[in-house]
Amino acid sequence: MKYEFREEKSVYGDLIFESKFWKLFLAPSQRCLGTSVLALKREVMNLRDLTSSEWKEFSLIVKITEIAMNKSFKPDLYNWACFKNAAYRDESKGFKAKIHWHLHPRYQDPIIFEGIKFIDPDFGYPPGLKEKTIPDKLREKIIKHIRTNF
Amino acid sequence: MKYEFREEKSVYGDLIFESKFWKLFLAPSQRCLGTSVLALKREVMNLRDLTSSEWKEFSLIVKITEIAMNKSFKPDLYNWACFKNAAYRDESKGFKAKIHWHLHPRYQDPIIFEGIKFIDPDFGYPPGLKEKTIPDKLREKIIKHIRTNF
């Protein structure tokens, strides 16, 4: 599987990498350190409409991303979800219910990154909706760190 | 893809069908009508460890299940999630963080099934954790109805 690192900003966050069919973004909220969004590049509304090539690449990305996150932050588990609820919450924002996956690395214990303590306040439960924003410089360091582990 | 309908009860609910690698259960809570759990039969803890055959069958099940749910209840969208948080919430119950997917059909408007009104109280947001149990007879009717649409 080929993928490249480059800069891009979107509603899903800041690009970590792009592959043939998918883009992985560091999510705007870092409530759980490393929270990411894996968005399909093609405009598709339902998982049943993914092609076998898109599924195949998705499964490879799950694998390399979990391995890279393990090396980066050693989370205890991963939550993967394809929800698309927000598209129905606030259509005025112009969101469409396009296929994208939320990846939440989950942490039983606090983790220190770049001297800053991250606590997963909902461990054992679905991640809360309350957003946690962090400085842009710190986001850049997180992305750089994750990329070194791909 | 081959699958069979038979009876089985588990912590995940009541079996709807079984395929080579996966079992689809009607979940104990029917907060969203048709809520199901798709459990891998093999004991695997992380999505990165699924085989390509297991992924392939998963993608086919996503397709046929969304189509069957469309025919059964016409939900507005589907939430798919592989979380495994509960395994860390109450280990005394003996749960293991085995791979299983939660499927929540989501409804913008109330839906009537067998004369009973189902409302999705969290539409536009992740499904709430509060459980909604329904009578066994009604569960049987839901399973029978879904099965006729596979």
Side-chain angles (χ1 to χ4, degrees):
Chain A
M1 194 192 79
K2 284 183 186 168
Y3 56 91
E4 62 167 327
F5 300 142
R6 60 173 185 76
E7 307 304 304
E8 183 182 317
K9 281 190 183 292
S10 111
V11 292
Y12 297 133
D14 298 290
L15 193 69
I16 299 172
F17 77 72
E18 173 172 2
S19 63
K20 187 173 180 187
F21 302 117
W22 300 88
K23 287 178 180 178
L24 183 71
F25 296 91
L26 188 74
S29 174
Q30 290 296 298
R31 188 172 169 91
C32 301
L33 178 60
T35 297
S36 305
V37 174
L38 181 62
L40 187 69
K41 290 156 73 171
R42 191 166 66 94
E43 194 162 299
V44 171
M45 301 299 159
N46 293 289
L47 284 180
R48 64 180 173 276
D49 298 323
L50 293 195
T51 66
S52 56
S53 302
E54 288 162 348
W55 273 118
K56 177 73 184 169
E57 204 184 80
F58 170 72
S59 71
L60 294 173
I61 292 172
V62 166
K63 188 169 200 161
I64 64 170
T65 303
E66 288 194 356
I67 290 170
M69 292 286 179
N70 276 356
K71 287 182 191 164
S72 302
F73 310 121
K74 296 189 179 57
D76 293 284
L77 84 154
Y78 297 96
N79 291 172
W80 287 92
C82 183
F83 275 175
K84 300 176 269 98
N85 297 313
Y88 294 83
R89 185 156 71 232
D90 188 357
E91 290 180 70
S92 68
K93 282 191 177 173
F95 287 118
K96 287 186 180 179
K98 287 173 59 178
I99 289 297
H100 61 280
W101 292 87
H102 297 272
L103 166 58
H104 293 266
R106 307 304 305 270
Y107 303 87
Q108 194 148 23
D109 301 312
I111 171 170
I112 310 284
F113 178 74
E114 289 283 329
I116 293 165
K117 188 189 274 190
F118 287 79
I119 295 168
D120 179 347
D122 317 298
F123 188 75
Y125 292 88
L129 288 180
K130 199 176 169 194
E131 298 211 349
K132 176 183 175 151
T133 54
I134 59 171
D136 284 350
K137 283 284 174 203
L138 186 55
R139 293 179 59 80
E140 286 168 21
K141 284 178 181 172
I142 291 170
I143 290 171
K144 197 173 171 185
H145 184 58
I146 294 171
R147 282 178 173 171
T148 60
N149 289 314
F150 270 102
Chain B
M1 194 192 79
K2 284 184 187 170
Y3 55 91
E4 63 167 327
F5 300 141
R6 60 172 186 75
E7 308 304 303
E8 184 182 315
K9 280 189 181 294
S10 110
V11 292
Y12 296 133
D14 298 288
L15 192 68
I16 299 172
F17 76 72
E18 173 171 2
S19 63
K20 187 172 178 187
F21 300 117
W22 299 88
K23 287 178 180 177
L24 183 71
F25 296 92
L26 188 75
S29 174
Q30 290 296 297
R31 187 170 170 91
C32 302
L33 178 60
T35 297
S36 306
V37 174
L38 181 61
L40 187 69
K41 290 156 75 170
R42 190 165 67 94
E43 194 163 298
V44 171
M45 300 301 158
N46 292 290
L47 283 180
R48 65 181 172 275
D49 298 323
L50 292 195
T51 66
S52 56
S53 302
E54 288 162 348
W55 272 118
K56 176 75 184 167
E57 204 184 80
F58 171 71
S59 70
L60 294 173
I61 291 171
V62 166
K63 188 169 201 161
I64 64 169
T65 303
E66 287 194 355
I67 291 170
M69 292 287 179
N70 276 356
K71 288 183 191 164
S72 303
F73 310 122
K74 297 189 179 57
D76 293 283
L77 83 153
Y78 296 96
N79 291 171
W80 288 91
C82 183
F83 275 175
K84 299 178 268 99
N85 297 313
Y88 293 82
R89 186 155 71 231
D90 189 357
E91 290 180 70
S92 67
K93 282 191 178 174
F95 287 119
K96 287 186 180 179
K98 287 173 60 179
I99 290 297
H100 62 279
W101 292 87
H102 297 273
L103 165 60
H104 293 267
R106 306 303 304 270
Y107 304 87
Q108 194 148 23
D109 301 310
I111 172 171
I112 309 283
F113 178 74
E114 289 284 329
I116 293 164
K117 188 189 276 191
F118 288 79
I119 295 168
D120 179 346
D122 317 300
F123 188 76
Y125 292 87
L129 288 179
K130 198 175 171 195
E131 298 210 347
K132 175 182 175 150
T133 54
I134 58 171
D136 284 351
K137 282 284 174 202
L138 187 54
R139 293 178 60 80
E140 286 168 23
K141 284 178 181 170
I142 291 170
I143 290 171
K144 197 173 169 185
H145 184 58
I146 295 171
R147 282 177 173 171
T148 62
N149 289 316
F150 269 103

